Amino acid sequence: DTGVSQDPRHKITKRGQNVTFRCDPISEHNRLYWYRQTLGQGPEFLTYFQNEAQLEKSRLLSDRFSAERPKGSFSTLEIQRTEQGDSAMYLCASSLARRASEVNEKLFFGSGTQLSVL
Amino acid sequence: QKEVEQDPGPLSVPEGAIVSLNCTYSNSAFQYFMWYRQYSRKGPELLMYTYSSGNKEDGRFTAQVDKSSKYISLFIRDSQPSDSATYLCAMSDGQAGTALIFGKGTTLSVSS
């Protein structure tokens, strides 16, 4: 399977714990996005990388959230001191831009990590 | 008012029906319009991608964009039970890397 892969698929944690999610994009894709989706809502943008550089962050991404994409390959999203309001599906998407300025919004999503904070 | 409005449904139709799904938006800078299909407990899957106004057809799916009315539609002909899913509209202003703005999604159920 050459699609976007996310791990784990499900995560249950207690309030106050730290959690980390991993995303492996489609191999040739240089852009990687994190979105969050709650029940009955569309995905909401969190952050995006062009190769290893984090270029944009949403106001939704509080100081407790951090994302990395070392060497422009896989990415991790860490949530520290989780709160019940963090419960959501965390979606990763990737895309291919042939130039840094290219507009390419054909995003390919993974199946997401469902986080439940008790 | 949210930037993108989409009736969440649910929408129930019999097999073979024509389905019309719609979104309205407020940001006149949006130029790229997409429809994603999302099955339960899966990520969204890109169905249709259009730039600016006009129609685009792909098999049983037709996407329409009317920028003057800030209104986009997705039509599904000869609907099948396998079309049962949540359909999300999404749009962007086309700046490199700019986040997509999604609607809430419309849940469609096609009965056989």
Side-chain angles (χ1 to χ4, degrees), chain A residues 55-91:
Chain A
L55 296 186
E56 195 173 333
K57 290 196 286 187
S58 163
R59 292 170 299 171
L60 293 175
L61 211 66
S62 76
D63 292 344
R64 297 184 297 104
F65 287 70
S66 62
E68 294 182 342
R69 193 183 181 199
K71 301 179 183 178
S73 55
F74 70 92
S75 176
T76 58
L77 178 68
E78 181 183 18
I79 309 175
Q80 296 182 326
R81 304 181 303 282
T82 53
E83 302 172 355
Q84 288 185 327
D86 297 331
S87 296
M89 170 85 84
Y90 289 84
L91 292 162

Side-chain angles (χ1 to χ4, degrees), chain A residues 9 31 33 35 37 40-43 45 48 56 91 100-103 105-107 109-111, chain B residues 2 32 34 36 38 41-44 46 49 88 92 94-100 102-104:
Chain A
R9 289 296 313 278
R31 287 185 181 163
Y33 298 77
Y35 280 77
Q37 185 177 25
Q41 302 295 318
F45 170 76
Y48 122 84
E56 195 173 333
L91 292 162
S101 60
E102 179 172 338
V103 176
E105 303 299 345
K106 294 183 183 180
L107 301 189
F109 283 86
S111 291
Chain B
K2 296 198 77 171
Y32 294 84
M34 286 134 276
Y36 282 83
Q38 186 172 27
R41 290 185 284 277
K42 295 287 190 182
L46 181 64
Y49 177 100
L88 297 152
S92 82
Q95 297 300 308
T98 294
L100 291 181
F102 282 86
K104 286 186 175 184

Side-chain angles (χ1 to χ4, degrees), chain B residues 17-67:
Chain B
I18 296 174
V19 176
S20 171
L21 305 167
N22 313 293
C23 287
T24 59
Y25 63 94
S26 58
N27 188 346
S28 57
F30 288 149
Q31 299 183 68
Y32 294 84
F33 304 91
M34 286 134 276
W35 286 95
Y36 282 83
R37 178 175 61 196
Q38 186 172 27
Y39 291 113
S40 180
R41 290 185 284 277
K42 295 287 190 182
E45 169 196 12
L46 181 64
L47 269 182
M48 300 290 283
Y49 177 100
T50 54
Y51 170 68
S52 195
S53 286
N55 295 356
K56 183 173 183 179
E57 187 173 324
D58 184 1
R60 296 184 296 110
F61 298 90
T62 299
Q64 289 185 350
V65 175
D66 182 350
K67 290 189 69 180

Side-chain angles (χ1 to χ4, degrees), chain B residues 74-94:
Chain B
L74 177 71
F75 297 95
I76 307 174
R77 290 183 299 281
D78 187 26
S79 55
Q80 303 294 309
S82 58
D83 295 328
S84 298
T86 296
Y87 290 80
L88 297 152
C89 63
M91 45 199 82
S92 82
D93 61 12

